[in-house]
Amino acid sequence: MSKRRFLAPALALLFLTAPAVEAINVPRKSPELAISLSDGKQVLVSQYLGKVVVVAFILTWCPHCQKTIGFLSKAQTTYGPRGLQVLASAIEDVARVNLPAFIRQYNPPFPVGFDNQTVAINYLEHPPMLIPHMPILAFIDRQGIIRAQYEGDDKFFSEDQQPKNLTDKIEELLKEGTAGAKKSVPRKTPAASK
């Protein structure tokens, strides 16, 4: 009898959280996101329309986030000339205070700012009743569509595969071409039509 009493609430909890996990909808249009920088300026995700954008939501003190920033720094250096733009937003309560030291230590070649956690959760369409596992990456294509989103506990971040997974996802989106680019269609020349 006591097993049934435990099992019923556990199953109810499972059914309540299962739809929430499925609520993360990709692909979807990226809403506007303003990331505040330490100098008082803001970076808007929309200003990079036409580029492949990776938005990293991090905690400055999180070792997995720090490692991910290292991988993303290499990716920005390698793929920036081909149209990649990485952005990062620290979302812990004291991010504004922690950010200058984080930037000095890791020296990322892309904008790193801060937002509050609610802004990040809303942007990511993360179920508010579930604790986010950090870091969280959103991959946005050149047309401004969030094509993939990975949370820190996803196999995407597995220790030995993270650099390859990042590279593969970035390459996939870069290969899709530029926004508004027309596919070239071979034209028939007068000589070829004879």
Side-chain angles (χ1 to χ4, degrees), residues 29-36 42-57 85-89 111 115 119 123 138-146:
K29 183 167 178 26
S30 173
E32 185 60 270
L33 176 68
I35 300 172
S36 299
Q42 286 190 328
V43 172
L44 302 176
V45 169
S46 63
Q47 75 189 63
Y48 298 104
L49 190 63
K51 291 187 173 219
V52 170
V53 178
V54 179
V55 181
F57 293 94
Q85 181 59 60
V86 177
L87 305 170
S89 180
D115 273 307
V119 169
Y123 177 81
F139 290 83
I140 306 167
D141 69 17
R142 295 178 191 267
Q143 290 77 39
I145 305 297
I146 298 174

Side-chain angles (χ1 to χ4, degrees), residues 70-149:
F71 295 141
L72 289 171
S73 292
K74 290 177 187 169
Q76 180 65 54
T77 301
T78 302
Y79 297 108
R82 290 181 47 200
L84 174 69
Q85 181 59 60
V86 177
L87 305 170
S89 180
I91 63 169
E92 73 260 26
D93 290 338
V94 292
R96 180 190 305 249
V97 174
N98 292 348
L99 207 52
F102 179 86
I103 291 170
R104 277 192 306 277
Q105 182 174 354
Y106 296 97
N107 196 27
F110 50 81
V112 180
F114 59 92
D115 273 307
N116 69 50
Q117 188 172 357
T118 303
V119 169
I121 295 303
N122 290 340
Y123 177 81
L124 295 164
E125 294 185 3
H126 191 281
M129 71 286 283
L130 298 179
I131 297 171
H133 294 91
M134 305 304 283
I136 302 175
L137 300 180
F139 290 83
I140 306 167
D141 69 17
R142 295 178 191 267
Q143 290 77 39
I145 305 297
I146 298 174
R147 297 281 297 281
Q149 188 171 302

